[in-house]
């Protein structure tokens, strides 16, 4: 069982390194109209399959027509998936994926959040805050690289606007 756990950890690390390599190269990045509601729903469905996550994760959608953005649907899904994984791992309680009418993908948790000094370094590769935290310090670096390749912005807040605690990451895309 220990060997299987070690292989799972190694596989996860290899996946993250491959994601980072692909994101940095930008070689396979396509530009097409992406339905952000459909993208967020697909990512949420992946997480809802896990009964431990199902009750914690919710999806908030705009009341308008689904916002569209120009981008690579696979790369954006990887970025959103990394944000959700981080929120589930490091946050406590509920995690919300939100799609705004203006074309922003936001992931919010209600955990302890991070301090201002930590917030400034989260985009850097292999930066982890505390040895008690699992992970490799690649998730937000991957997200940041994908967002930059899309000419978009990654905004990080801790706590989120209007909240006392928590963490929020927003991918702000240009409308298509």
């Amino acid at each position: 069982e220990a060997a299987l756990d070690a292989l799972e950890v190694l596989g996860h690390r290899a996946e993250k390194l491959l994601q980072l390599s692909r994101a940095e190269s930008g070689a396979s990045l396509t530009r097409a109209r992406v339905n952000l509601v459909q993208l967020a729903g697909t990512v949420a469905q992946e997480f809802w399959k896990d009964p431990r996550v199902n009750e914690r994760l919710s999806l908030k959608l705009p009341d308008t027509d689904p916002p569209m953005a120009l981008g690579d649907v696979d790369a954006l899904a990887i970025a959103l998936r990394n944000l959700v994984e981080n929120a589930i791992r490091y946050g406590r309680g509920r995690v919300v994926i939100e799609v705004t009418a203006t074309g922003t993908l936001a992931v919010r948790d209600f955990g302890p959040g991070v301090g201002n000094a930590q917030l400034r370094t989260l985009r850097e590769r292999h930066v982890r805050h505390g040895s008690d935290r699992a992970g490799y310090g690649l998730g937000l670096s991957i997200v940041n690289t994908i967002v930059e390749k899309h000419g978009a912005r990654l905004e990080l807040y801790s706590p989120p606007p209007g909240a006392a605690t928590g963490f929020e990451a927003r991918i702000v895309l240009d409308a298509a």
Side-chain angles (χ1 to χ4, degrees):
E1 190 156 320
L4 288 175
D5 289 343
L7 282 172
E8 185 177 328
V9 167
L10 185 59
H12 192 256
R13 181 174 290 184
E15 177 186 344
K16 293 296 178 192
L17 289 169
L18 284 170
Q19 286 176 358
L20 182 60
S21 175
R22 286 184 193 129
E24 286 178 340
S25 77
S28 63
L29 203 65
T30 62
R31 295 287 181 185
R33 286 174 48 91
V34 177
N35 179 323
L36 298 180
V37 167
Q38 187 175 18
L39 169 70
T42 300
V43 170
Q45 282 290 350
E46 291 176 30
F47 287 96
W48 285 332
K49 291 177 185 174
D50 182 342
R52 296 169 297 178
V53 175
N54 190 342
E55 294 297 318
R56 291 184 59 200
L57 181 64
S58 61
L59 180 60
K60 183 177 178 184
L61 303 174
D63 294 331
T64 61
D65 288 337
M68 304 294 280
L70 193 61
D72 184 291
V73 69
D74 293 328
L76 291 171
I78 288 169
L80 187 57
R81 193 175 302 118
N82 274 298
L83 293 178
V84 175
E85 283 176 359
N86 282 350
I88 289 168
R89 179 178 293 133
Y90 301 121
R92 290 192 204 122
R94 218 165 37 92
V95 172
V96 178
I97 301 172
E98 180 177 3
V99 180
T100 69
T102 59
T104 295
L105 297 168
V107 177
R108 185 178 312 110
D109 72 57
F110 300 91
V114 299
N116 285 334
Q118 294 172 327
L119 193 60
R120 288 190 293 274
T121 62
L122 287 176
R123 292 179 175 96
E124 296 174 19
R125 194 180 305 174
H126 300 295
V127 170
R128 293 176 50 221
H129 296 286
S131 60
D132 61 326
R133 305 263 176 153
Y136 318 108
L138 294 174
L140 281 174
S141 177
I142 292 166
V143 173
N144 193 57
T145 301
I146 290 170
V147 167
E148 285 178 351
K149 295 289 183 185
H150 280 82
R153 290 188 326 272
L154 175 62
E155 299 175 354
L156 304 176
Y157 302 93
S158 186
T165 63
F167 183 85
E168 182 174 321
R170 296 179 188 171
I171 300 173
V172 183
L173 297 154
D174 291 330

